[in-house]
Amino acid sequence: MRVLIIEDEQALAETIRRGLVNEGFVVRVEHNGNDGLWAATEERFDVIVIDIMLPGLNGYNVLREIRKRKIWTPIMMLTAKDGEYDQTDAFDLGADDYLTKPFSFLVLTARLRALIRRGAPARPVELTIGSLNLNPGRRSVTRHGDEIPLTAKEFGLLHFLMRQKGAIVSKSEILANVWDPAYDGAENVVEVYIGYLRRKIDVPYELSTLQTVRGMGYRLVADKPQNAHA
């Protein structure tokens, strides 16, 4: 199992490298974004770990360029920051996981193995359900060609729902994947943002695609007129 670590803190990078080698991984380490991007695009790895705060290209730009070149290797982002927008930005750009420093090496190893087991299926740069289109790289959403402005949280929520391909997701699943892990407020914040999204992606187009499934959660389906029967 080959791992690329892109981390500018050399002591931390070496600690991770030694630990992963002892676990049977083959590890390459780069200490800046430019060299990390070159390695990611020129060699094959089973998983890539990228620190967000890097000299040269920052981690977000490295991630963006990797996905832009249609390389779908699973990617975990590392950062000393801990905020919902950092996570949303990383997932919107194509990251598969996110770990905040300081972290347990056992947790890092377990999550890397999980990413490797999932593999790297090809995924489209854009997500489309009916006439609704979302481009994570450009952070844009359109319906019938109209640009729909969304806040960062609305965008993260829509992105999560579109990735589920019409499956029903619960409030707790949405909170776990879209909100900060430290969030301890009421679950009804999900209902509030679902309402915000409906007013932007459905109401102006007389559609009912963002559906509430009573007692279960929410799902996003292909174009459905507001007056259509279930």
Side-chain angles (χ1 to χ4, degrees):
M1 295 177 288
R2 302 193 73 234
V3 182
L4 172 61
I5 308 292
I6 310 175
E7 168 61 68
D8 65 319
E9 294 182 46
Q10 297 198 18
L12 174 60
E14 179 59 15
T15 298
I16 295 173
R17 187 195 69 79
R18 287 183 180 179
L20 291 178
V21 168
N22 289 337
E23 292 292 322
F25 292 87
V26 176
V27 184
R28 173 167 178 167
V29 177
E30 298 294 346
H31 298 296
N32 65 72
N34 299 89
D35 291 342
L37 177 60
W38 186 90
T41 56
E42 294 298 318
E43 297 185 25
R44 189 193 67 78
F45 296 94
D46 295 295
V47 66
I48 300 172
V49 179
I50 307 174
D51 184 32
I52 289 178
M53 303 301 290
L54 291 170
L57 289 174
N58 67 34
Y60 290 134
N61 287 330
V62 174
L63 171 61
R64 180 185 290 109
E65 286 299 315
I66 290 173
R67 295 306 190 219
K68 186 176 178 181
R69 299 179 194 193
K70 301 187 185 306
I71 297 170
W72 307 118
T73 304
I75 293 177
M76 172 185 285
M77 302 301 288
L78 295 181
T79 182
K81 296 192 251 180
D82 186 12
E84 63 188 60
Y85 294 114
D86 300 319
Q87 295 184 54
T88 301
D89 288 342
F91 289 132
D92 286 347
L93 291 171
D96 299 278
D97 202 355
Y98 182 104
L99 199 57
T100 303
K101 302 174 185 175
F103 52 82
S104 159
F105 179 75
L106 292 177
V107 171
L108 171 67
T109 305
R111 287 165 74 163
L112 290 180
R113 291 189 190 279
L115 288 177
I116 291 171
R117 284 196 300 270
R118 274 159 42 187
R123 59 188 108 178
V125 175
E126 297 185 353
L127 299 174
T128 300
I129 296 181
S131 62
L132 189 65
N133 178 273
L134 182 147
N135 186 305
R138 293 201 306 267
R139 295 182 63 83
S140 68
V141 175
T142 60
R143 170 153 263 164
H144 296 308
D146 299 335
E147 188 86 21
I148 302 175
L150 299 179
T151 66
K153 184 60 68 185
E154 291 165 354
F155 186 93
L157 174 56
L158 181 61
H159 191 198
F160 176 69
L161 291 169
M162 291 187 75
R163 293 203 310 268
Q164 308 315 306
K165 299 180 180 178
I168 300 171
V169 291
S170 66
K171 288 182 183 178
S172 59
E173 288 177 299
I174 292 173
L175 284 173
N177 286 275
V178 181
W179 266 258
D180 190 296
Y183 176 79
D184 60 357
E187 281 193 345
N188 66 5
V189 69
V190 175
E191 297 175 28
V192 172
Y193 275 87
I194 289 289
Y196 292 159
L197 268 183
R198 282 196 179 113
R199 289 194 286 273
K200 292 184 176 183
I201 68 171
D202 275 351
V203 174
Y205 303 93
E206 299 184 346
L207 295 173
S208 181
T209 63
L210 182 43
Q211 301 179 341
T212 298
V213 182
R214 190 176 300 275
M216 299 179 69
Y218 305 93
R219 65 182 171 195
L220 188 67
V221 300
D223 296 17
K224 179 182 177 184
Q226 287 179 351
N227 59 357
H229 295 291

